[in-house]
Amino acid sequence: MSILVVGSVAFDSVETPHGKVDHVLGGAATYFALAASNFTSVRVIGVVGEDFTPANEKVLTDRGVDTAGIEHAPGLSFHWTGSYVQNLNEAKTLGTDLNVFAAFQPKIPAAYQDSEYLFLANIDPVLQAQVRSEMPKVKMVCGDTMNYWIADHKANLLKVLKELDVLLINDGEAKMLSGETNLLRAANKVMEMGPKILVVKHGEYGATAFFCDRSFIGASSVSLPFRAPALPLDEVVDPTGAGDSFAGGFYGYLASQPELTPAVFRSAMFYGGVMGSFAVEKFGTERLQTITREEIDARFQLFRELSHLA
Ligand code: AMP
């Protein structure tokens, strides 16, 4: 099974209480692909500039990620500057230099047409809709977005939401999108906008999945929300990419399974938490570059024990 992801491949400059890094490899598609590649094959569509080196690309290809869909354009790569100094659970954006990302027009290589799973990472909803329409045969579409698109591009975002099987957003985004302050009410309103399943990430507190009655995984057997924990860590070095790594673990595991059952979906929520917890242990993508399947499975076991009632 293959996942096609479209999104940012970037350089990030980040400050956290643990220190500072400058222009390290990042981007939503990068974190997603590195996390998902532990479970299934991943193809990336994005754009980078002349500052993106073969060594940067090797970080992805060393983990088996197909980078043929990453376009190389004249100019500089997308550069995001953020700080977690005030609040480790929420990034404060200090700068967004779009650079080559400003004129990004996703082009899907012919060889990617047989991808079964599509992940629309956080980019302009117009581009998300375009990629979705060019991949009519996918089995499942999962997407992400952020406050910027909810605030200023809502009409375009609403069009994409109609196309999604699963939407993955955080607490604040769910409340902002729905105009509700109560999570359950917010979730129900968001699912009325299109997604059949809504996964709300709560940062260090885990994630909750909400299912609407059009849900495609054993509709009648899944109606109550399902909450998966996050692993309490004694040290969060850099939260950047936690959400995208969650998405990669979640979707990568789903795509690796022969059938989508409620039990598989619940495990996928745990694998999301596992990958998010690894991502934050080091700056940038460093931890995801060396992770092994044994480490992932051992941590999955920890997550099971954390929430087991016996
Ligand atoms: P998260 O998983 O939410 O922490 O996502 C962090 C990643 O999102 C960083 O590596 C950034 O490069 C990327 N990012 C930040 N702002 C944007 C944006 N406006 N569009 C696309 N990607 C972004």
Side-chain angles (χ1 to χ4, degrees):
M1 292 293 174
S2 284
I3 298 179
L4 176 60
V5 53
V6 56
S8 56
V9 178
F11 289 113
D12 294 340
S13 297
V14 179
E15 187 173 7
T16 84
H18 281 269
K20 237 176 147 166
V21 286
D22 190 37
H23 279 82
V24 294
L25 180 64
T30 305
Y31 280 104
F32 176 91
L34 288 174
S37 65
N38 293 286
F39 302 92
T40 193
S41 67
V42 187
R43 299 150 164 183
V44 183
I45 295 197
V47 65
V48 293
E50 289 150 315
D51 48 352
F52 189 81
T53 64
N56 295 137
E57 193 144 350
K58 196 166 174 293
V59 168
L60 289 162
T61 52
D62 274 354
R63 305 296 294 184
V65 176
D66 183 336
T67 57
I70 299 182
E71 183 188 335
H72 291 252
L76 294 174
S77 303
F78 176 58
H79 175 223
W80 177 74
T81 309
S83 170
Y84 295 90
V85 173
Q86 306 286 336
N87 181 357
L88 265 177
N89 244 334
E90 199 180 312
K92 183 170 178 208
T93 294
L94 302 175
T96 303
D97 308 317
L98 290 175
N99 300 326
V100 294
F101 209 47
F104 179 41
Q105 273 302 322
K107 293 174 204 70
I108 304 172
Y112 285 7
Q113 279 297 336
D114 61 356
S115 310
E116 292 97 342
Y117 291 81
L118 179 62
F119 187 75
L120 305 168
N122 164 36
I123 50 167
D124 186 337
V126 171
L127 300 184
Q128 290 180 318
Q130 183 193 320
V131 172
R132 201 279 169 259
S133 72
E134 288 173 27
M135 296 295 294
K137 288 186 293 198
V138 288
K139 267 176 70 172
M140 202 191 294
V141 188
C142 181
D144 186 8
T145 192
M146 69 184 289
N147 49 9
Y148 172 72
W149 306 114
I150 298 170
D152 296 336
H153 298 257
K154 196 160 176 185
N156 290 334
L157 181 61
L158 290 176
K159 285 185 200 154
V160 180
L161 294 183
K162 288 193 176 54
E163 301 284 329
L164 296 184
D165 294 308
V166 184
L167 175 67
L168 268 155
I169 49 179
N170 66 32
D171 268 327
E173 290 158 354
K175 291 174 182 171
M176 186 178 174
L177 182 58
S178 61
E180 295 282 351
T181 49
N182 172 281
L183 183 63
L184 188 55
R185 280 169 182 269
N188 287 330
K189 264 202 171 170
V190 171
M191 287 187 292
E192 280 168 18
M193 298 172 189
K196 300 181 184 82
I197 298 177
L198 173 68
V199 176
V200 178
K201 298 166 285 177
H202 312 296
E204 65 176 309
Y205 305 112
T208 312
F210 298 90
F211 308 90
C212 75
D213 50 15
R214 292 168 289 116
S215 172
F216 50 93
I217 46 168
S220 56
S221 62
V222 185
S223 53
L224 282 175
F226 175 70
R227 178 162 287 176
L231 189 68
L233 295 168
D234 58 0
E235 202 169 70
V236 173
V237 172
D238 175 11
T240 313
D244 300 307
S245 303
F246 178 98
F250 164 80
Y251 210 41
Y253 179 76
L254 275 191
S256 73
Q257 296 302 299
E259 210 190 332
L260 181 54
T261 63
V264 164
F265 192 90
R266 287 168 178 230
S267 291
M269 293 280 291
F270 273 56
Y271 278 108
V274 165
M275 298 314 296
S277 75
F278 278 119
V280 303
E281 286 181 351
K282 291 190 177 175
F283 272 105
T285 60
E286 212 183 315
R287 186 66 183 93
L288 297 183
Q289 292 180 33
T290 58
I291 204 159
T292 64
R293 190 58 206 245
E294 289 69 38
E295 288 175 316
I296 293 170
D297 290 340
R299 190 159 291 185
F300 182 80
Q301 197 51 37
L302 259 180
F303 268 73
R304 291 180 78 123
E305 285 163 24
L306 185 69
S307 52
H308 189 71
L309 182 68

